[in-house]
Amino acid sequence: MNFDLKKKTRIGESIIQGLLFFAGILSIFITLAIVYELGKEALLFFNNPDVTLAKFLGGTTWQPGIGDYGIWALVSATLTTSFIAISISLPLGLAVAIYLSEYASLRALSILKPVLEVLAGVPTVVYGYFALLFVTPVLQNIFGNENIQVYNMLSAGLVMGIMILPLISSMSEDSLSAVPRSLREAAYAMGATKIEASLQIVLPAALSGIGAALIVGISRAVGETMIVAVASGAGPNFTFNPLQAAETMTGHIARISGGDLSYNSIDYTSLFAIALMLFLVTLVLNLISQWVVNRFRERYE
Amino acid sequence: MNTNNYYPQAQEFQKELNSRYRVASIWQSLFLFALLIAVLSLTALMYNVIDGAFGYIAYEYKNDPSEFTSTPVNELTQEELLTILQSNLSSGAYKKLNNEQAMQTRSQADLLNLFLERLVQVDTKQTWTMTESIFQREKILQETASNYPEARIEFRSWLTPQFLVSPMSSRAEFAGVRTAVLGSLWLVGIAIAFALPIGTGAAIYLQEYAPKNWFTSLIQININNLAGVPSIVYGMLGLAVFVRLLEPLTSGSMFGISDANGRTILSAGLTMGILVLPLIIINAQEAIKAVPDSLRQASFGVGATRWQTVWHHVLPNALPGILTGSILALSRALGETAPLIVVGASTFISVDPDGPFSKFTALPIQIYQWTTRAQSEFHAIAASGIVVLLVLLLTLNATAILLRNQFQRKY
Amino acid sequence: MENNNNHYSIETKDLCILYGGFTAVRNVNIKVEKQKITAIIGPSGCGKSTLLRAFNRMNDFVPNSYVTGEIFLHGQNLYSKQVDPVEARRKIGMVFQKPNPFPKSIYENIAWGARINGFKGKMDELVEQSLRSAALWDEVKDKLHQSAYALSGGQQQRLCIARTIAIQPEIILMDEPASALDPISTLRIEDLMQELKKNYTIIIVTHNMQQAARVSDYTAMMMIDDNRSGGVIEFDETKKIFTRPSDKRTEDYVTGRFG
């Protein structure tokens, strides 16, 4: 018998490994492509002699067609709707998470989890329908037709909050469940009631994971398009009044790109400038949340 | 110990404990309240959609049906309708319809719709939701009688078999979702055909081949980040790369198809493929991670190469998990709207897509368009479209859950 | 049965602990003497920890678990409907196998329990006193407001003892408190126990025979029966258990011929 243990080159194996490697690094190329393409067009926008950084970051009207480039007209609506969404989804999501991780029986879990999964799986355009044709009429009844516009940031923000709720509750629940049982037992053994253990021991111990959930929630709210495109308003408007109509960054991109748009026009390049801002903001938020989650994992493993 | 320091005992402790329990029950009701809001929101959403899909409609005939035939409208047969259409439509219009689908092969319901749409010409005056129709029936009937004395009123389901098989129409009463559903299926098909092999390959590379170094963790961080990039940004990427840069390829002009630009199903499908790629990779990684290491060691132990191990042992065991993840990614792609608007799904397309280079529309795009129209009859078909979309999603997710259960039983 | 004999902290009568339909611990009848250390020994899986956790109703958190029989604390049945488990646990402290300080500062680890139990007085004094009693004060007095996680395992366990003492329980349950620690830390904990028994009744679960022999005054020997239920087969003074056990199985176990 021939015992040849020399290393052999297996061509098939190498080709396959090469293909797999390519598939693995494709995601890097996607990121680079996003940065390059968005950056290229955004650069064209900023190279326009009419556009100055001072105007862009300082102005409060956005009408590229006639030389107004104040991004705040769009950012104000993004901030307002996101703020409303987070102030709905954070407390509710957290409360749901605590209930699910600390209180719910197995039977309750088997009913409630699917409800949250369905909420998480509903397409955003359906939430848009819900915002415009259910929540807005309800709000009109509450505030009176003359006080609230048909398109308004409040309705979009509230529904966005409902959309983000399952995300925040499931991420928070994960971090609450990751808190070791021994900490809860220690609290009970010192004569704590269940709520004291949950709120004063388990919750603080899971705080970094909840922080990560909050950040992902913000990133989701900032990037959400369809709800605001349907319900928040079609036109830039510098206002923080939630009862008014105003267009968010995402809503603006959707509306303008949906129409006829000629390449290299200022309208076209300006959309890429907005998209680049969106990408960078969400990138930073996502990186922070990942970093927080990883640090948190290390602590209990 | 200092005598000033003490713990409450007996009665005093009991009293304090009772107030602690009161605080606890307040908190617990707050938690339940939050849950109630979540459940109520879902209920309200579902109710809102169903409510929109049924209800009274008040409409007038512009031309009296008796001008065309003496038979009552709902007793017309297929042949009768054919003759009426043939003799009353202009020959150009008839030919165009015939080209879309031969008139002889069309169903009676289809022909009746054409008759009502083209010749009788229905003019919808007003529609009501299901709740209004049930609880304010008298009021609706009175209002209609006084405002539109000519109008007919009937309770109608907007969600009908006809709605499923009809193409787009500019009139809500005759519009259907066939074109949109077919567009969505094409789209999702291309997306998954692109993302599933690449995503699985990437997952295999990361779990089975990649060395543990900074570069691998960079890839991993990058994938996690891509999963969180807003979908509209992917739309912009698709617009810049697929619609514009690769126009010769995506418009089909490279393959001899003329008069097209890059706003095709292919562009949209690839954009969607890139959007779901990170989800597929992450899910496939989880599935591969779940394959026990003993299996790999056993395979290496009998002299298998790394690829043989992956192909014969790891992949077959991870397959249900990978498929489950892909179905979930698929349902994400099915419901995504924003990137489609950006890469240019057309809003009005009444011709079925016939290949990757077709112009197209998709179900969520139609829902968006109909929702943003001012007339209430479009809201009714938006609601019906949502029901169709949700049923599709539910079917997909149910399949995923079945697969997952199958999978869990094994280990 | 009412028993007001002040000599004993805890008495059990036909105590059985069940999970679902399964009897994990069967018919335990022991009397735990005040201000003594009682050890529970036996092979792993014989229900030592389960029995210990029944003494402060920690098993309440295990779904489908319940007890039959009685556990008397000052003549009151711990499992009667009138007893509030939160109040009971406040009187019967517990130290766990692995040190589990709260993710808070050293100071807060002690102050928290005191605060929820309505402590009135000077918190600083209580913290210092408790840390001194747990022989930890000198090591941590300069870093009271640093995270408890910065302490070594042995220090963490003494901190857990300190926070238990701080709420002034009558009985301290210890579930293999030194099993996760190095020999030197173990020794310090054992010394500490001798100090603590002047004021507290201590019940300790251990799988370390030498430890039981070194620290305890009484020993309960547990063994699993044919139905896989654990039970106390012999309960006596530690000296007797380790020199002249009356049960053959105890003799086999303590001399190392079993388990």
Side-chain angles (χ1 to χ4, degrees):
Chain A
M1 215 180 187
N2 180 11
F3 267 73
D4 180 8
L5 292 179
K6 254 192 306 186
K7 217 172 178 176
K8 300 165 198 70
T9 35
R10 295 187 173 86
I11 295 183
E13 290 269 325
S14 307
I15 291 174
I16 286 167
Q17 195 168 343
L19 285 175
L20 293 176
F21 177 70
F22 173 74
I25 60 166
L26 185 73
S27 61
I28 300 266
F29 288 126
I30 293 174
T31 305
L32 292 178
I34 292 176
V35 174
Y36 175 76
E37 286 296 338
L38 265 48
K40 191 181 69 180
E41 302 289 346
L43 211 61
L44 280 177
F45 171 72
F46 285 115
N47 277 345
N48 187 310
D50 219 26
V51 180
T52 62
L53 210 59
K55 258 189 188 172
F56 185 71
L57 295 177
T60 55
T61 45
W62 178 268
Q63 271 181 316
I66 58 167
D68 283 330
Y69 306 104
I71 191 71
W72 276 101
L74 301 170
V75 171
S76 67
T78 295
L79 288 179
T80 309
T81 50
S82 301
F83 179 79
I84 296 170
I86 292 297
S87 35
I88 290 288
S89 61
L90 184 67
L92 290 182
L94 209 49
V96 169
I98 295 176
Y99 186 84
L100 292 184
S101 102
E102 309 294 314
Y103 284 89
S105 65
L106 282 176
R107 246 193 67 196
L109 277 181
S110 69
I111 299 167
L112 293 171
K113 284 253 176 164
V115 168
L116 292 170
E117 278 170 25
V118 170
L119 268 182
V122 170
T124 55
V125 67
V126 178
Y127 278 115
Y129 175 94
F130 180 59
L132 185 66
L133 298 175
F134 185 87
V135 177
T136 297
V138 169
L139 292 177
Q140 282 174 322
N141 273 335
I142 296 174
F143 291 100
N145 280 347
E146 62 285 357
N147 298 321
I148 186 166
Q149 298 178 350
V150 175
Y151 297 103
N152 63 78
M153 295 190 280
L154 183 58
S155 165
L158 289 175
V159 173
M160 213 147 86
I162 294 166
M163 181 201 85
I164 297 171
L165 189 154
L167 175 85
I168 294 203
S169 74
S170 85
M171 276 186 77
S172 304
E173 195 206 334
D174 283 348
S175 65
L176 288 170
S177 322
V179 173
R181 235 173 72 109
S182 66
L183 280 186
R184 294 180 177 83
E185 290 189 335
Y188 297 144
M190 306 201 45
T193 60
K194 198 155 188 175
I195 196 73
E196 286 160 349
S198 304
L199 290 183
Q200 299 177 31
I201 298 297
V202 180
L203 191 67
L207 217 53
S208 47
I210 292 164
L214 169 66
I215 294 166
V216 170
I218 295 174
S219 144
R220 180 69 72 86
V222 168
E224 166 48 35
T225 309
M226 291 322 294
I227 298 174
V228 289
V230 170
S232 169
N237 180 11
F238 178 73
T239 176
F240 292 97
N241 180 355
L243 301 183
Q244 287 193 5
E247 195 167 51
T248 65
M249 295 158 78
T250 51
H252 183 72
I253 296 177
R255 180 170 61 89
I256 301 297
S257 67
D260 277 329
L261 194 59
S262 54
Y263 299 146
N264 298 331
S265 67
I266 190 84
D267 277 328
Y268 182 81
T269 54
S270 68
L271 294 189
F272 283 85
I274 300 169
L276 184 66
M277 271 185 70
L278 269 178
F279 175 73
L280 293 179
V281 168
T282 51
L283 178 79
V284 169
L285 289 175
N286 290 339
L287 279 175
I288 295 174
S289 91
Q290 270 193 65
W291 179 75
V292 171
V293 166
N294 284 340
R295 255 193 39 160
F296 179 69
R297 265 199 202 120
E298 276 160 20
R299 200 155 110 199
Y300 288 120
E301 273 171 9
Chain B
M1 186 176 271
N2 191 324
T3 44
N4 292 331
N5 294 346
Y6 75 102
Y7 281 98
Q9 302 292 332
Q11 296 296 316
E12 196 186 350
F13 182 83
Q14 239 348 296
K15 232 176 93 190
E16 288 190 8
L17 189 58
N18 286 339
S19 79
R20 281 161 70 191
Y21 279 135
R22 266 198 302 280
V23 172
S25 62
I26 291 171
W27 275 104
Q28 209 170 339
S29 2
L30 281 178
F31 298 157
L32 280 171
F33 174 72
L35 265 169
L36 194 69
I37 288 191
V39 174
L40 278 183
S41 303
L42 185 62
T43 318
L45 191 147
M46 294 300 166
Y47 158 77
N48 180 221
V49 170
I50 301 290
D51 191 40
F54 305 91
Y56 273 118
I57 173 173
Y59 62 94
E60 289 173 5
Y61 286 146
K62 273 193 184 156
N63 307 309
D64 200 305
S66 57
E67 291 169 26
F68 305 97
T69 172
S70 53
T71 327
V73 173
N74 35 17
E75 285 172 26
L76 285 166
T77 65
Q78 197 190 4
E79 289 85 43
E80 280 172 306
L81 283 163
L82 259 180
T83 343
I84 297 170
L85 284 167
Q86 203 156 10
S87 50
N88 290 292
L89 280 173
S90 73
S91 64
Y94 188 85
K95 214 179 264 171
K96 189 154 173 276
L97 285 171
N98 205 32
N99 284 343
E100 278 173 20
Q101 192 187 346
M103 293 302 269
Q104 270 75 14
T105 63
R106 291 180 185 234
S107 65
Q108 189 263 350
D110 199 358
L111 292 172
L112 184 63
N113 263 351
L114 279 176
F115 170 62
L116 292 175
E117 182 182 358
R118 298 295 176 104
L119 298 177
V120 177
Q121 294 186 9
V122 169
D123 179 18
T124 297
K125 294 297 181 193
Q126 201 173 344
T127 66
W128 292 268
T129 64
M130 185 169 70
T131 315
E132 288 166 349
S133 305
I134 293 173
F135 293 106
Q136 303 169 16
R137 190 166 167 273
E138 293 306 317
K139 196 174 139 219
I140 290 172
L141 295 180
Q142 272 172 18
E143 262 179 30
T144 311
S146 62
N147 295 350
Y148 319 107
E150 300 287 297
R152 295 145 185 274
I153 184 154
E154 64 184 52
F155 188 88
R156 123 162 224 183
S157 160
W158 294 87
L159 184 68
T160 56
Q162 195 64 31
F163 180 72
L164 296 179
V165 298
S166 297
M168 245 316 267
S169 162
S170 57
R171 309 231 24 111
E173 300 83 351
F174 304 103
V177 287
R178 189 183 74 205
T179 346
V181 168
L182 288 174
S184 277
L185 293 181
W186 267 101
L187 199 75
V188 169
I190 292 174
I192 212 76
F194 168 83
L196 182 57
I198 293 183
T200 311
I204 293 173
Y205 173 75
L206 286 170
Q207 291 306 123
E208 302 287 328
Y209 286 86
K212 263 199 174 348
N213 57 19
W214 66 269
F215 187 66
T216 306
S217 41
L218 177 75
I219 296 180
Q220 192 68 60
I221 290 170
N222 181 54
I223 289 169
N224 292 345
N225 264 321
L226 280 179
V229 169
S231 58
I232 196 154
V233 171
Y234 282 104
M236 297 301 280
L237 177 71
L239 175 62
V241 174
F242 298 125
V243 174
R244 200 176 165 193
L245 194 68
L246 300 178
E247 184 157 38
L249 173 75
T250 52
S251 68
S253 64
M254 246 164 86
F255 311 98
I257 294 172
S258 53
D259 76 73
N261 59 23
R263 296 178 183 269
T264 57
I265 290 191
L266 184 60
S267 292
L270 290 175
T271 305
M272 216 52 112
I274 286 186
L275 188 148
V276 298
L277 185 63
L279 303 179
I280 293 196
I281 298 177
I282 292 169
N283 279 317
Q285 275 184 290
E286 291 299 321
I288 292 172
K289 248 186 237 168
V291 177
D293 244 354
S294 55
L295 213 66
R296 293 183 187 85
Q297 281 151 11
S299 171
F300 286 134
V302 297
T305 64
R306 191 168 279 275
W307 175 246
Q308 283 166 336
T309 304
V310 168
W311 185 250
H312 292 290
H313 300 286
V314 177
L315 266 189
N317 281 290
L319 203 61
I322 293 175
L323 288 181
T324 309
S326 307
I327 293 174
L328 295 178
L330 224 134
S331 58
R332 166 89 191 273
L334 197 58
E336 269 300 342
T337 321
L340 297 182
I341 297 177
V342 179
V343 299
S346 309
T347 49
F348 192 83
I349 293 269
S350 59
V351 191
D352 292 346
D354 58 357
F357 305 116
S358 308
K359 301 235 148 301
F360 74 104
T361 182
L363 195 46
I365 288 283
Q366 282 314 321
I367 294 168
Y368 169 58
Q369 288 297 334
W370 288 335
T371 303
T372 48
R373 294 288 288 267
Q375 304 94 319
S376 59
E377 60 264 35
F378 282 98
H379 298 162
I381 54 174
S384 311
I386 289 174
V387 174
V388 175
L389 180 62
L390 291 181
V391 167
L392 280 176
L393 288 175
L394 217 60
T395 319
L396 277 177
N397 282 304
T399 319
I401 289 168
L402 282 181
L403 263 172
R404 187 166 62 189
N405 291 348
Q406 200 88 18
F407 185 50
Q408 275 169 346
R409 227 171 283 142
K410 213 160 136 194
Y411 291 112
Chain C
M1 181 192 87
E2 286 291 306
N3 188 328
N4 289 314
N5 190 338
N6 280 334
H7 204 51
Y8 299 112
S9 274
I10 289 182
E11 287 185 60
T12 70
K13 185 159 187 302
D14 299 330
L15 174 69
C16 299
I17 305 164
L18 298 95
Y19 295 132
F22 171 68
T23 309
V25 172
R26 193 186 297 272
N27 291 339
V28 174
N29 290 290
I30 56 173
K31 294 180 174 184
V32 176
E33 230 179 281
K34 260 191 183 163
Q35 294 177 7
K36 294 276 192 261
I37 299 179
T38 302
I40 305 176
I41 63 169
S44 51
C46 69
K48 303 185 293 283
S49 290
T50 308
L51 176 59
L52 190 74
R53 281 160 171 263
F55 292 149
N56 68 343
R57 296 195 55 169
M58 286 302 268
N59 286 337
D60 288 12
F61 298 105
V62 182
N64 298 324
S65 84
Y66 60 98
V67 304
T68 63
E70 286 136 331
I71 299 177
F72 290 105
L73 179 79
H74 299 310
Q76 191 178 21
N77 183 5
L78 195 58
Y79 281 84
S80 83
K81 286 224 160 57
Q82 286 86 42
V83 170
D84 188 314
V86 169
E87 187 172 4
R89 284 187 209 110
R90 185 238 167 292
K91 298 263 194 256
I92 309 169
M94 188 165 200
V95 176
F96 296 82
Q97 187 168 358
K98 271 167 78 183
N100 54 357
F102 300 126
K104 297 173 184 285
S105 70
I106 294 168
Y107 184 97
E108 272 303 306
N109 257 279
I110 292 166
W112 185 75
R115 211 175 288 130
I116 58 164
N117 284 300
F119 175 72
K120 311 280 189 301
K122 295 202 173 70
M123 191 62 83
D124 291 358
E125 274 176 27
L126 177 75
V127 170
E128 177 173 347
Q129 178 111 25
S130 310
L131 285 169
R132 278 188 195 282
S133 307
L136 193 59
W137 174 251
D138 291 333
E139 293 160 63
V140 301
K141 64 182 174 204
D142 299 325
K143 45 181 179 181
L144 286 177
H145 295 285
Q146 288 177 22
S147 166
Y149 282 26
L151 298 177
S152 74
Q155 288 173 326
Q156 287 187 7
Q157 195 62 305
R158 276 180 281 143
L159 177 63
C160 292
I161 294 174
R163 76 179 173 197
T164 305
I165 301 169
I167 56 170
Q168 301 172 0
E170 292 171 25
I171 302 163
I172 301 178
L173 308 175
M174 295 186 170
D175 191 355
E176 305 193 24
S179 69
L181 304 181
D182 61 275
I184 292 171
S185 301
T186 303
L187 215 59
R188 301 199 64 162
I189 302 272
E190 286 178 7
D191 289 345
L192 180 54
M193 288 169 67
Q194 296 304 328
E195 279 300 312
L196 292 176
K197 89 174 183 188
K198 291 172 189 160
N199 296 313
Y200 304 98
T201 308
I202 297 177
I203 307 177
I204 175 174
V205 162
T206 177
H207 59 225
N208 181 334
M209 229 72 61
Q210 285 82 6
Q211 188 172 58
R214 271 197 306 269
V215 301
S216 69
D217 306 298
Y218 292 89
T219 296
M221 173 68 205
M222 288 184 77
M223 194 68 87
I224 216 159
D225 67 12
D226 296 337
N227 299 320
R228 307 183 47 76
S229 305
V232 173
I233 57 167
E234 191 170 354
F235 176 62
D236 216 323
E237 285 183 36
T238 301
K239 234 180 296 168
K240 185 160 175 288
I241 292 271
F242 280 89
T243 51
R244 308 167 266 116
S246 50
D247 194 296
K248 179 80 173 62
R249 291 169 294 176
T250 310
E251 189 179 348
D252 286 350
Y253 185 74
V254 298
T255 52
R257 258 173 281 173
F258 175 93

